[in-house]
Each structure stands twice: as C-alpha cells, then as structure tokens.
Amino acid sequence: MTAVTIPSFGPADVLRLATVPIPVPAAGQVAIDVAYAGANFAEVLYRQGVVDVPLPFVPGIEVSGRIRALGPGVEGLSVGQPVAALTIVDSGGYAEVVTTAAELVVPLDDYGLGLELAAALPLNSTTAFLVLDRVARIEPGESVLVHAAAGGVGSQLGQAARLLGAGRIVGTVGRPEKIAAAKAFGYDEVIVRDDVADAGEFDVVVDMVGGASRRTSLDRLAPMGRLVVMGNASGADDVGISANELWFTNKTVSGFNLAAFAAANPAAAGAGLRRAVEAAARGQLEVRTETLALQDAADVHRRIESGTTTGKLLLRVTA
C-alpha cells in the first residue's frame, strides 16, 4: 500500500511517499481503509525527532474511513462500516490502511456525518472535551482562557467550553489577523497573546503554546484555578513552576497528552470521541476544514509549522 513515511528526522522535505506492507489487525484491533487523515502539530514533532519513534515511521494520529477487517475478539463493529478513529497510540494514519484498537473507533452509521468532517474530530474535538471535563473538571459558569484559539484544538475548546456550561470564554492568538477566525469558534472575546495580562482572572486556562505563555497562564489563574498544559508549540525551553507558589495561591497545574491517555484508557478516549461525534452531528461543533492530497503532506507540514493556519488541515487518502 502507499503511505507517507518519515525515513529520517528533519524538515518537511524528508517526508516520502513509499510502498509499505498492509497492516493486519491484532486481537482487539480493526483495520481501516483510510479515506481522510488529519494533519496535526504532533506529527510535525514526530518528523522533527522531538518524539522518539522508530524509523522509518508512518505518522497520522486520526483518520476516517471504512472498516477493512476485524481482529480476533472484536464485537459491535462490522466490515464496511464508516468510522472515525484515533490512531494516536501507534500512528500510521498517513496511509491507505491503518490499524487501531477497536475501543478508539466510533461508527458513523447513525450520525449522518461525512467522512471528510469525521476525520477532523478524533484529535482536536475529543481533546477539547476530555481536557475541560476530565482534567480541568469545569463547573457551570466558570471562566475559561484558551491560548492558540484559532488553531485546530483551540477552535474546539471554546465551543466545548460553551457546551459544558462555561461562563466567560476568552481566546488568545499570536497575531491580530487571527482574531476574526477565532471569534467564530464560540469565544466571547479574542485578544492578542501579548495583551493577556489585562484580561483578568480565570478559573481554567488551557495552554498549548508554552514559553512566556506558561508563566502568564499561571498568573491569570484565580484562586482555586486550574492550568492545563497540553503542548509547547513555541518550542521554548520548559518553564519551572514552584510547588510552594501553588500551595500559597491555591492553584493547580495539570498535564494532558492524548496519546498517553488513549494508550492507558482506550475506552475513556473512545467515549470522548463518541461525545465529539455526537456534538458535531447535532450541529453543536463547527469545524472548518481544508483538504489536500496525501502527496502534499510536506506542504501541509510547512503550513502547520508557519503558525498561520486556522481550523483543520486534512489529507485525502483514498476518498
């Protein structure tokens, strides 16, 4: 089968179309004929070698498509079913066929969602619900600040916060030209990140930017506030946080990594995906997508690294 591979770590140019063996589902897994694969910053990190993966490596942490085969012990799914799936544990979604745990697969039969939209939900929309509900434990009426509000997961966090009953919801962006795009995703206010010091206090802050934003995020927490760390898009050095400061100010810092969560709690991750699919099917989540061909994966990675993208980029595989 055809797949995009990472034969060596480096810039986007290292990505190569290659012929690789078709994977066979193990016990508890399904094989999926991939229609669309989501493109994400996490896959850029794989390619750069920030995440240690065995080479050559096929990236791709979320897909939509149709079930090709069932592994031993899989029940409740059938060959030919349209599905959305998280492939984040072992990757492999930039390919014509991928395998993943059956618990990370949600059938689309009853939802009326097209495969293109469905491919945009497994990572960002699932993450948004899990971060706010299970990690931040948001309560109705609480205020929320989200950094990188115009990006893939940022575009979903504002909407998920609204669905979960949040009060004031504020997003930040890195440049003024992104404000309008972010405001369309459920935020009450969108500000340039450099101006966040004047935004007031928040019960929940979600930071996937890192660097200076990490310190600012902690400063913006109200007493009993929770900061959720889930990325370092700035590429800055880690920021140390004093445990004594957390003690004296009644603040909490948590981390969330969907790959680790899905590996340890596949049923819970799958339930999060189902929640996202249901919300999208009800028209409660807006997802703006742009689709390019699989062979354009390098160009897609360059765009993600540029920091100029909004919404979700997809790769068309066999659709």
Side-chain angles (χ1 to χ4, degrees):
M1 68 172 183
T2 298
V4 170
T5 65
I6 302 172
S8 61
F9 298 125
D13 292 343
V14 303
L15 293 176
R16 290 286 183 272
L17 277 178
T19 300
V20 301
I22 297 174
V24 176
Q29 289 188 328
V30 300
I32 299 169
D33 286 319
V34 179
Y36 298 92
N40 303 281
F41 188 72
E43 293 137 2
V44 171
L45 297 180
Y46 294 156
R47 194 205 72 228
Q48 292 174 337
V50 175
V51 180
D52 187 20
V53 296
L55 299 179
F57 186 75
V58 179
I61 60 180
E62 60 179 341
V63 303
S64 68
R66 294 184 179 275
I67 293 181
R68 175 187 182 93
L70 305 176
V74 174
E75 298 179 353
L77 297 170
S78 59
V79 172
Q81 267 187 314
V83 295
L86 277 166
T87 53
I88 194 167
V89 176
D90 297 313
S91 279
Y94 287 17
E96 292 178 316
V97 181
V98 67
T99 56
T100 192
E103 291 173 302
L104 299 177
V105 175
V106 173
L108 302 174
D109 312 66
D110 298 331
Y111 296 110
L113 287 180
L115 291 175
E116 190 167 7
L117 174 59
L121 301 174
L123 179 71
N124 295 332
S125 304
T126 302
T127 294
F129 281 111
L130 291 173
V131 161
L132 292 171
D133 191 13
R134 292 185 62 111
V135 184
R137 300 185 185 277
I138 190 170
E139 297 287 343
E142 287 192 316
S143 55
V144 179
L145 175 69
V146 176
H147 292 300
V153 69
S155 72
Q156 301 302 288
L157 278 161
Q159 298 179 79
R162 184 75 64 207
L163 291 172
L164 293 169
R168 181 181 179 224
I169 306 171
V170 178
T172 77
V173 291
R175 55 192 76 182
E177 55 266 31
K178 286 191 172 185
I179 290 177
K183 283 210 74 170
F185 293 121
Y187 291 97
D188 297 313
E189 307 164 52
V190 178
I191 58 178
V192 176
R193 199 166 300 120
D194 291 342
D195 299 330
V196 74
D198 300 321
E201 292 186 329
F202 296 86
D203 299 299
V204 175
V205 179
V206 183
D207 177 24
M208 55 281 256
V209 176
S213 292
R214 199 79 87 221
R215 178 68 250 179
T216 305
S217 298
L218 192 62
D219 292 340
R220 295 276 56 78
L221 283 182
M224 302 306 295
R226 290 87 71 199
L227 167 61
V228 183
V229 174
M230 49 167 293
N232 186 32
S234 66
D237 291 337
D238 197 9
V239 175
I241 296 174
S242 165
N244 282 347
E245 179 182 357
L246 301 179
W247 165 32
F248 283 120
T249 58
N250 291 308
K251 297 177 181 180
T252 298
V253 178
S254 300
F256 182 77
N257 179 286
L258 184 58
F261 184 84
N265 305 281
L273 174 55
R274 187 177 299 277
R275 190 175 192 179
V277 168
E278 290 173 349
R282 290 193 296 265
Q284 295 174 327
L285 287 179
E286 179 181 356
V287 184
R288 296 183 180 179
T289 63
E290 181 181 352
T291 302
L292 294 90
L294 182 63
Q295 58 264 35
D296 295 326
D299 289 336
V300 169
H301 275 219
R302 292 187 195 97
R303 289 178 58 180
I304 292 172
E305 289 177 276
S306 74
T308 60
T309 60
T310 61
K312 185 73 180 185
L313 294 174
L314 302 174
L315 295 171
R316 183 185 301 106
V317 183
T318 61

